[in-house]
Structure formats: structure tokens, C-alpha cells
Amino acid sequence: TSWPGSHIGTETLRLVEFTAFVERQSERDTCKQQHRFVHIDPTPTSEPPLEMVDVRQIYDKFPEKGGGLRDLYDQGPPQAFFLVKFWADLSFSLLEEELGGTGGAFYGVSSRYEGPRALTLSCTSKVCSFGKQVVEKLETAEPPHWEDGRFVFRMQRSPLCEYLINFIRKLQTLPEKLMMDSVLENFTILQVLRDQETQELLLCVAFVFEVSASERGAQHHIYRLGRD
Amino acid sequence: ARPDQVPMRKRQLPASFWEEPRPA
């Protein structure tokens, strides 16, 4: 199987869906309200091929020593490297009881991948500030399910770390989008997905951010990372 | 200048990098 070139994926693994969200119980209702900070939908096949960004332009936004982006890219495979520019939707208001703690709100990330091989999928996420790692999280996807001719891997409702929750909250206190974007210029996340048994690198996704104009909701562009 | 002293706006990035997509 070969994937069309309009989304994050290789012949071994494809990102189908990615959401970072906050969820809370409504006072009036029994159902939960979910607000998505960022979201990648399953991509329609009619999308044009991805533009390329030279990976050297963003080396310094991620750790540079001991398994940083440069080392990872040198090891390859190059077709497994992608960049996502998110315009995050921060247009939700914190409730009074949530100002001191999470107040019962749940901050999480859910993602879904698919591919032709049944493997144990591990995901390392590095949160970086000024290119330096501040938090690292290692997760293993649920065992894959065979669905419609391919294996589907899920990491559902993975809790956001305290650093990220506090970061989002502090960002929201800034009065202007320009100020938020200025802070976000030095905030990045690097995700590396591997076959846990062989340690083969399957996908490496670099995330960079701005804040969405509030009426638009979360948006994104996806790029291939390359090097001439 | 070191790369980390160069603002993102001055780097060689596609024009689309600065254009927030319209909602589908």
C-alpha cells in the first residue's frame, strides 16, 4: 500500500486523526462539553501534495544534542519527517472554580494511526521551550485492531501534563493574539513514533504553533520535512 | 547570526506558513 502524499504518513504508518482538547461536565447538562485546542481530521484524498520545509530551518526549535531533530533526520528515513503548523483555538473561558486547579476539567490528547503491519507502537513526545526539552512523555498505543484491511492504532484520552495545562492557562491570560504568538514562537513539540520491538522510526512530527483568529477555530498546515 | 537568533518570520519558509487556512 502506498499513501498519497497529502498527509502525515509513510507506507508503514499514517496519522489519521489528532486532537488536543479540554473537556468538562456542563452544570445544566449531563453530557460533557469538549473544546478542541488543535485538531487534525482524516484527510480527504483530493488534497494537494504537501509543500516541503527545509528541516535545517527549524533545527534550533528542537533539542539539538543526543537524539535531537538533526540526529533523528540524519538517521532517517527522510520520508517519515513532517512539520505541522497549528493555529490553536484558545477561545474558551475558564470557569471560576477552574482558575485555581483543573476544577474537574480534563485536558487530553487523542490520536489514531493506521498501517499494514501489526506492531507495538510507541510514541515519545518532547515539549520544548526555546529549543530545550522541558517535558518528555513515553506512551504505548493500544494493541492494534484489524479494520477495513489495515491495522488501526489508538492512543485515546492521554492526559496532558501539568506543564502544558499551566502553559495554556497562562497563554490565555495574555491580552493580544500577537503576544500569544510571540510566546508560541519558542514553544514546540516533537513526537517520534517507533516500532517498540525493533525501535524502527516510523514517523517524526514537529509541531509549531500560533493562535487562531477566534472566529475560525483550530486550523493547521502540514509540511514534509526535507533537506537538499 | 546564529539560527536561534533569527525570528521565524525571517527564515526560509513557505508563504502558506503564515496564512491561517479558512475553515472548511
Side-chain angles (χ1 to χ4, degrees):
Chain A
T1 312
S2 67
W3 311 113
S6 58
H7 51 237
I8 296 172
T10 67
E11 292 188 1
T12 314
L13 193 71
R14 172 187 172 185
L15 172 65
V16 180
E17 199 163 6
F18 182 95
T19 310
F21 61 89
V22 59
E23 201 172 74
R24 60 187 166 215
Q25 194 87 34
S26 160
E27 278 184 17
R28 298 177 194 163
D29 209 337
T30 50
C31 67
K32 288 177 177 167
Q33 294 178 324
Q34 189 183 86
H35 172 88
R36 292 169 167 180
F37 298 115
V38 295
H39 182 64
I40 297 175
D41 274 319
T43 318
T45 51
S46 58
E47 293 278 307
L50 301 179
E51 289 181 274
M52 193 192 82
V53 164
D54 189 321
V55 67
R56 290 169 294 193
Q57 297 291 326
I58 60 164
Y59 273 161
D60 63 297
K61 295 286 172 188
F62 299 91
E64 293 195 80
K65 290 177 184 168
L69 183 57
R70 184 195 301 257
D71 290 345
L72 289 168
Y73 195 85
D74 285 347
Q75 290 155 19
Q79 69 273 17
F81 287 74
F82 295 86
L83 170 67
V84 178
K85 166 77 178 276
F86 273 129
W87 283 264
D89 182 359
L90 294 183
S91 65
F92 78 104
S93 304
L94 290 171
L95 302 175
E96 194 63 36
E97 65 269 25
E98 292 168 354
L99 292 171
T102 55
F106 175 76
Y107 290 73
V109 177
S110 291
S111 53
R112 181 158 58 100
Y113 301 83
E114 62 183 36
R117 279 164 37 190
L119 44 84
T120 304
L121 184 65
S122 75
C123 175
T124 306
S125 305
K126 294 182 179 189
V127 177
C128 307
S129 174
F130 290 90
K132 303 284 186 289
Q133 179 184 311
V134 288
V135 183
E136 183 177 35
K137 184 175 185 179
L138 175 63
E139 294 170 275
T140 306
E142 298 163 24
H145 292 276
W146 179 254
E147 287 177 27
D148 300 326
R150 74 264 198 215
F151 290 98
V152 177
F153 306 81
R154 288 189 171 88
M155 281 180 273
Q156 297 190 91
R157 302 178 64 79
S158 172
L160 280 196
C161 66
E162 207 174 312
Y163 178 92
L164 280 180
I165 295 172
N166 289 334
F167 181 81
I168 292 168
R169 292 170 161 210
K170 283 179 184 163
L171 205 56
Q172 281 190 300
T173 64
L174 297 176
E176 293 171 15
K177 170 175 156 51
L178 206 62
M179 292 168 77
M180 296 184 197
D181 289 343
S182 172
V183 171
L184 285 170
E185 176 148 338
N186 296 302
F187 171 83
T188 57
I189 296 176
L190 189 67
Q191 280 203 325
V192 180
L193 291 117
R194 294 182 187 272
D195 179 335
Q196 188 167 281
E197 278 146 40
T198 64
Q199 285 300 300
E200 175 190 358
L201 186 147
L202 304 174
L203 278 183
C204 178
V205 188
F207 296 99
V208 297
F209 300 86
E210 274 189 36
V211 175
S212 172
S214 59
E215 72 276 11
R216 290 183 170 183
Q219 304 292 335
H220 66 274
H221 276 309
I222 302 171
Y223 302 92
R224 293 183 297 117
L225 283 172
R227 192 170 61 192
D228 296 327
Chain B
R2 281 163 48 89
D4 56 1
Q5 294 170 334
V6 179
M8 289 293 273
R9 288 269 175 193
K10 295 196 173 174
R11 300 187 188 199
Q12 291 170 32
L13 296 163
S16 62
F17 195 86
W18 305 110
E19 295 162 2
E20 182 178 346
R22 298 201 163 275

